Amino acid sequence: MKYLLCLSALLGCLCVSGSAAAWDGFDADSADLVAVTPDRIPRQGDTVDVHNYDKDSTESCLVQSVTRNTRTVELVVRTASGTLHTLVMEGR
């Protein structure tokens, strides 16, 4: 019983740390909810993974620009197809 409790606590910690690794926001063009991985402010030229919750898809994108505002951070990213998206993320 003690081992079962320890195992369930360990699994719970792993699940919590895995789900907190994304940075939440929305796509300004489509108003879709998105999450950016890794969970940090990228620099111009970095590659990030953008998960679109509404379409349930993930796409690797190249960061074109980063603008820090009072409460948000705006990322302009280019998809592999060449489309530009403005992502409005939670402020850091």
Side-chain angles (χ1 to χ4, degrees), residues 7-57:
L7 180 63
S8 64
L10 178 64
L11 289 175
C13 290
L14 290 174
C15 290
V16 169
S17 64
S19 64
W23 184 21
D24 294 324
F26 67 93
D27 187 331
D29 302 321
S30 63
D32 291 346
L33 296 176
V34 297
V36 172
T37 306
D39 185 22
R40 62 174 173 76
I41 297 177
R43 295 182 184 171
Q44 183 179 0
D46 285 352
T47 301
V48 295
D49 290 330
V50 178
H51 179 76
N52 186 319
Y53 289 112
D54 294 348
K55 297 177 183 172
D56 195 28
S57 64

Side-chain angles (χ1 to χ4, degrees), residues 11 85 87 91:
L11 289 175
H85 291 277
L87 307 179

